[in-house]
Amino acid sequence: MTVCTGNICRSPMAEIVLRERLAAAGLGDQVEVDSTGLSDEERGNPVDWRARAVLRRHGYPTGEGHRARQTRASHLQERDLVLPMTAAHARALRRLAGGDPAARARIRMFRSFDPAAPVESGQPEHVLDVDDPWYGPEEGFETTLAEVEAAVDGIVAHVRSALDYRNGLTD
């Protein structure tokens, strides 16, 4: 599950791209991908028109039928991997997880899977934030898509490894 603030820009873009890459890797029927937002301000709203335009230009589905929904604590127990877009989202998710160490362990910064991201030990978590395009021009959505695309192959590899382990295909 990908998570951002309102579930109309970053997290649905990431959901769509990740779903497409998992399908291309032959894992689409084994993995369910969804997205939520921490805020309820956008609940029920579709994917932002600028995000849809950028996705369309790059050959992705545009999230028709998507309706923003708010993250619930139960999501953190039900999902194997929770991918916040920013450090602030990760902190909010950890608070929502409370004292559940298993749920907290499933929360991983989305860009931590980008091999070019600054993930050196001791770096503050916010260096992995996916840019928020909401307040800027459409070009910001291009930046967001590029950051998402840079991380998804690492997520696909992680998911493949987890599935192999779960299915007893690795040592």
Side-chain angles (χ1 to χ4, degrees):
M1 180 175 71
T2 61
V3 181
C4 69
T5 304
N7 193 219
I8 60 168
C9 295
R10 291 172 286 184
S11 62
M13 289 176 77
E15 173 189 352
I16 290 164
V17 173
L18 182 54
R19 186 179 293 121
E20 290 293 301
R21 294 279 179 90
L22 285 164
L27 301 173
D29 60 341
Q30 298 176 59
V31 180
E32 183 180 333
V33 180
D34 64 352
S35 63
T36 61
L38 290 163
S39 168
D40 70 347
E41 288 180 52
E42 299 291 347
R43 189 180 322 168
N45 288 335
V47 176
D48 182 275
W49 69 270
R50 297 164 294 179
R52 288 194 318 265
V54 167
L55 288 165
R56 185 178 305 108
R57 273 198 304 276
H58 289 268
Y60 293 105
T62 59
E64 297 305 318
H66 171 86
R67 293 292 174 252
R69 59 196 185 106
Q70 189 174 21
T71 311
R72 296 186 321 260
S74 61
H75 291 137
L76 304 179
Q77 284 85 39
E78 297 165 356
R79 304 306 187 277
D80 294 312
L81 186 60
V82 179
L83 299 163
M85 297 292 116
T86 69
H89 299 140
R91 286 190 301 275
L93 289 166
R94 289 181 193 116
R95 283 191 303 274
L96 193 59
D100 182 346
R104 292 172 70 91
R106 290 189 286 269
I107 300 167
R108 298 265 314 263
M109 291 287 290
F110 190 92
R111 284 195 64 217
S112 69
F113 291 94
D114 175 354
V119 290
E120 298 169 21
S121 178
Q123 288 279 346
E125 198 171 45
H126 72 85
V127 300
L128 296 174
D129 285 0
V130 173
D131 286 349
D132 185 356
W134 173 255
Y135 297 102
E138 194 172 323
E139 292 78 34
F141 288 80
E142 292 283 350
T143 300
T144 298
L145 181 61
E147 290 174 342
V148 165
E149 288 180 322
V152 292
D153 288 338
I155 297 168
V156 170
H158 174 82
V159 168
R160 182 182 300 284
S161 177
L163 287 170
D164 286 350
Y165 180 78
R166 185 179 290 169
N167 295 327
L169 301 176
T170 62
D171 295 330

